[in-house]
Amino acid sequence: MSDDHKTKMQEQQAAQRKKVAELQDPEKGLVLVHTGNGKGKSSSAFGVIIRALGWKQKVGVVQFIKGTWKTGERQFFDRLGEVTWHTMGEGFTWDTQDRDRDIAAAEAAFAKGREMMESGDFDLIVMDEINIAMRYDYLSVGDVIAGLEARDKRTGVILTGRDAKPALCEYADLVTEMTEVKHPFQAGIKAQRGVDF
């Protein structure tokens, strides 16, 4: 049994190495979309930030929705001092209740994100909750894709938030959809510091 297993693993290893050898480096930053109704879209992006920082890459974040909401990730990255961070939104759309203000905030956030993407100064930009801004038509998907097209070759971008537009998903290099199976909110449990924010 052990010899059979070893032979199978050697065959798998050879096949995997062959696949990897055939892959090419696109020599440009990739576009990743984290979407879906499950928790973890922003958290996953922040994990990628940690990975990028581990490689001494330059990282920026533009938050579109969270506004003045105090979050653990922002406090951590502020203490670390290695991430350029802009919280541009004014809070959840049901907090402002002013569509014109929400549009203006989304446009200002995207202008900042676009400036950062085009600068050539960043390896990675996270546009946190930008998909929400597109869902409510505060930003057009065409304008966002045009901004991604205009980014510096070195810069990868992660766009998070529910309901990513199909055109954005088609454009992206990687799309991950988080699926909610169970959430404590549905059981009447409020958001927990350190887990949810």
Side-chain angles (χ1 to χ4, degrees):
M1 203 62 164
S2 178
D3 288 340
D4 285 349
H5 177 75
K6 184 175 181 179
T7 301
K8 284 180 184 177
M9 291 301 106
Q10 288 173 337
E11 289 170 0
Q12 265 190 320
Q13 182 185 53
Q16 182 64 23
R17 286 183 175 166
K18 183 176 185 282
K19 280 184 198 175
V20 169
E22 293 169 354
L23 297 175
Q24 297 177 356
D25 186 341
E27 298 181 7
K28 67 173 185 155
L30 301 180
V31 174
L32 289 66
V33 173
H34 296 179
T35 193
N37 67 348
K39 181 178 167 14
K41 298 172 287 293
S42 296
S43 299
S44 178
F46 298 137
V48 177
I49 289 174
I50 292 167
R51 182 175 288 153
L53 292 174
W55 288 105
K56 300 187 182 339
Q57 293 181 350
K58 183 113 188 259
V59 179
V61 174
V62 179
Q63 286 190 306
F64 280 74
I65 300 296
K66 290 182 171 121
T68 59
W69 195 21
K70 192 172 185 179
T71 63
E73 60 269 14
R74 173 70 190 263
Q75 293 178 81
F76 171 77
F77 289 118
D78 280 351
R79 277 199 308 273
L80 194 61
E82 293 186 29
V83 175
T84 301
W85 196 293
H86 299 278
T87 301
M88 308 284 290
E90 294 194 47
F92 295 103
T93 54
W94 55 79
D95 289 332
T96 62
Q97 300 179 16
D98 184 333
R99 182 171 172 77
D100 291 338
R101 266 178 62 189
D102 289 338
I103 290 169
E107 288 174 345
F110 188 63
K112 176 55 73 177
R114 189 161 179 163
E115 172 189 316
M116 293 167 74
M117 287 190 295
E118 292 176 16
S119 72
D121 295 335
F122 294 92
D123 297 289
L124 176 67
I125 302 290
V126 172
M127 294 205 208
D128 189 37
E129 305 290 1
I130 191 173
N131 294 336
I132 302 297
M134 285 185 280
R135 175 175 91 183
Y136 289 119
D137 296 320
Y138 300 161
L139 297 172
S140 81
V141 69
D143 288 347
V144 171
I145 291 172
L148 292 168
E149 277 289 306
R151 78 189 186 280
D152 187 84
K153 185 177 171 182
R154 127 185 209 197
T155 305
V157 182
I158 304 176
L159 303 98
T160 73
R162 294 173 182 243
D163 302 315
K165 297 283 189 176
L168 178 65
C169 292
E170 180 65 31
Y171 176 82
D173 297 293
L174 179 143
V175 178
T176 300
E177 185 167 340
M178 309 292 185
T179 303
E180 183 177 306
V181 175
K182 184 177 184 180
H183 196 293
F185 184 79
Q186 305 306 329
I189 300 171
K190 71 184 207 175
Q192 301 292 297
R193 182 181 292 174
V195 174
D196 294 301
F197 62 94

